[in-house]
């Protein structure tokens, strides 16, 4: 537990990690309607932002690239990270600007009429220039952890879960998934240690009762996987530490979850390592 805390904090305290977070903060969180619009127009988009945001990140949209149309609330047009709404056609008096320093949602009141316009964003693949700072989350390549894998698999079966190997139902970069409704764990084929780590991670979602993926549940599941593997003498830190750092973002977030990680780990360890 101490090594988990210190190693993750070590990543989060680094200059690289701060640069990474600065860039993450420049990307706007899109509504589900906009996420659908982006998907329909450019299914392979990974990171989208407006022309000016790309420019501020040292990247230029390539000549001739067609933008992706999204819906933007006009009263947010100068504050949004995408920021590229066309000039409003409505009279200026109807376009309200939030006061500086006030979060956008606080300026929206029940009485105020929201107006929407169209904005244009571009995918990172349509831009060129300074590479974005990233945190590397490498796959594990060792051929170890076979025994723990079988023990975890047996535990999953005792819990009534189906464990399927293959990449159907998995997103392009996901190594596994857990569906509580189907009681199903899917694992992508990979090196043994990677698959053992992923199975421990998905079982942690199950034992912890997570219903969906999110920063808190991802951090917790990976923390549990690291601790369960460590108890069996296996080290997944190379992948687990940066994975947790990027989900938790801040040193205090993991610290607040350590007791819960310990509790879920202990449950799995009892079930898995104590069995003959
Ligand atoms: Zn997960």
């Amino acid at each position: 537990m101490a090594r988990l805390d210190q190693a993750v904090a070590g990543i989060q305290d680094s200059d690289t990690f701060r640069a990474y977070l600065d860039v993450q903060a420049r990307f706007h969180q899109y509504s589900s309607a906009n996420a659908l619009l982006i998907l329909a127009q450019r299914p392979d988009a990974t990171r989208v932002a407006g022309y000016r945001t790309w420019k501020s990140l040292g990247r230029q949209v390539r000549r001739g690239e067609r933008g992706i149309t999204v819906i933007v609330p006009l009263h947010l047009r100068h504050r949004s990270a995408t920021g590229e709404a066309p000039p409003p056609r409505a009279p200026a008096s109807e376009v309200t600007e939030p006061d500086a320093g006030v979060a956008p949602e606080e300026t929206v009141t029940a009485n105020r009429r929201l107006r929407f316009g169209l904005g244009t964003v571009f995918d990172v693949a349509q831009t060129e220039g300074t590479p974005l700072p990233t945190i590397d989350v490498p796959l594990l390549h060792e051929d170890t952890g076979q025994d723990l894998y079988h023990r975890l698999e047996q535990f999953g079966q005792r819990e009534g879960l189906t464990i399927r190997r293959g990449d159907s139902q998995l997103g392009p970069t996901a190594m596994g998934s857990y569906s509580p409704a189907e009681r199903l764990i899917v694992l992508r084929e990979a090196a043994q240690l990677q698959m053992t780590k992923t199975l421990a991670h998905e079982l942690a979602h199950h034992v912890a009762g997570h219903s969906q993926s999110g920063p808190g549940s991802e951090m917790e599941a990976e923390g549990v996987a690291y601790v369960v593997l460590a108890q069996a003498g296996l080290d997944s830190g190379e992948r687990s530490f940066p994975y947790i750092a990027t989900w938790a973002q801040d040193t205090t977030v993991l610290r607040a979850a350590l007791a819960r990680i310990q509790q879920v780990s202990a449950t799995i360890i009892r079930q898995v390592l104590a069995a003959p």
Side-chain angles (χ1 to χ4, degrees), residues 176 201-202 205 213 217-218 221 243:
H201 174 114
E202 306 306 341
H205 280 312
S213 178
S217 55
E218 287 312 318
Y243 184 93

Side-chain angles (χ1 to χ4, degrees), residues 63-241:
R63 200 172 274 280
E65 291 288 353
R66 258 180 86 119
I68 304 164
T69 302
V70 291
I71 301 166
V72 284
L74 290 180
H75 75 292
L76 297 179
R77 77 192 195 289
H78 291 312
R79 290 182 57 92
S80 135
T82 63
E84 270 68 28
R89 298 204 178 83
S93 63
E94 288 191 87
V95 178
T96 52
E97 291 292 333
D99 299 329
V102 178
E105 58 269 30
E106 291 168 50
T107 67
V108 179
T109 68
N111 299 329
R112 191 168 287 163
R113 221 166 89 213
L114 271 173
R115 298 185 72 89
F116 291 90
L118 298 180
T120 302
V121 295
F122 297 89
D123 180 43
V124 62
Q126 299 176 283
T127 67
E128 59 196 3
T130 316
L132 298 176
T134 56
I135 298 295
D136 194 24
V137 183
L139 288 176
L140 301 169
H141 293 293
E142 289 94 312
D143 187 27
T144 51
Q146 178 107 33
D147 179 55
L148 179 60
Y149 181 89
H150 286 308
R151 287 165 180 269
L152 288 167
E153 199 173 34
Q154 283 160 4
F155 168 53
Q157 283 157 0
R158 289 200 298 276
E159 290 288 298
L161 302 171
T162 304
I163 298 163
R164 182 184 301 160
R165 293 169 71 127
D167 56 11
S168 62
Q169 306 184 11
L170 290 180
T173 60
M175 296 309 291
S177 71
Y178 165 59
S179 160
E182 298 170 89
R183 297 189 81 77
L184 174 68
I185 287 174
V186 179
L187 300 175
R188 188 186 295 280
E189 292 290 343
Q192 182 60 64
L193 184 61
Q194 176 64 50
M195 291 193 78
T196 304
K197 201 285 296 166
T198 307
L199 181 52
H201 174 114
E202 306 306 341
L203 284 169
H205 280 312
H206 167 73
V207 172
H210 296 153
S211 55
Q212 57 193 14
S213 178
S217 55
E218 287 312 318
M219 173 186 72
E220 194 173 302
E222 191 67 14
V224 170
Y226 171 76
V227 173
V228 169
L229 264 70
Q231 186 71 27
L234 302 163
D235 185 0
S236 70
E238 185 190 5
R239 178 172 175 85
S240 296
F241 299 150

Side-chain angles (χ1 to χ4, degrees), residues 27-86:
F27 290 96
H28 184 70
Q29 281 296 323
Y30 287 91
S31 65
S32 49
N34 271 334
L36 281 173
L37 276 173
I38 293 165
L39 186 69
Q41 295 167 80
R42 202 173 168 98
D44 58 350
T46 54
R47 201 90 254 221
V48 304
Y51 185 87
R52 283 200 299 268
T53 300
W54 282 126
K55 207 169 168 190
S56 76
L57 291 167
R59 298 184 67 85
Q60 278 290 337
V61 173
R62 282 199 202 89
R63 200 172 274 280
E65 291 288 353
R66 258 180 86 119
I68 304 164
T69 302
V70 291
I71 301 166
V72 284
L74 290 180
H75 75 292
L76 297 179
R77 77 192 195 289
H78 291 312
R79 290 182 57 92
S80 135
T82 63
E84 270 68 28

Side-chain angles (χ1 to χ4, degrees), residues 15-16 21 49 84-85 128 133 139-140 221 228 238 254 258 265 273 276:
D15 289 343
T16 316
L21 282 191
E84 270 68 28
E128 59 196 3
L139 288 176
L140 301 169
V228 169
E238 185 190 5
L254 175 62
L258 285 177
S265 308
L273 299 180

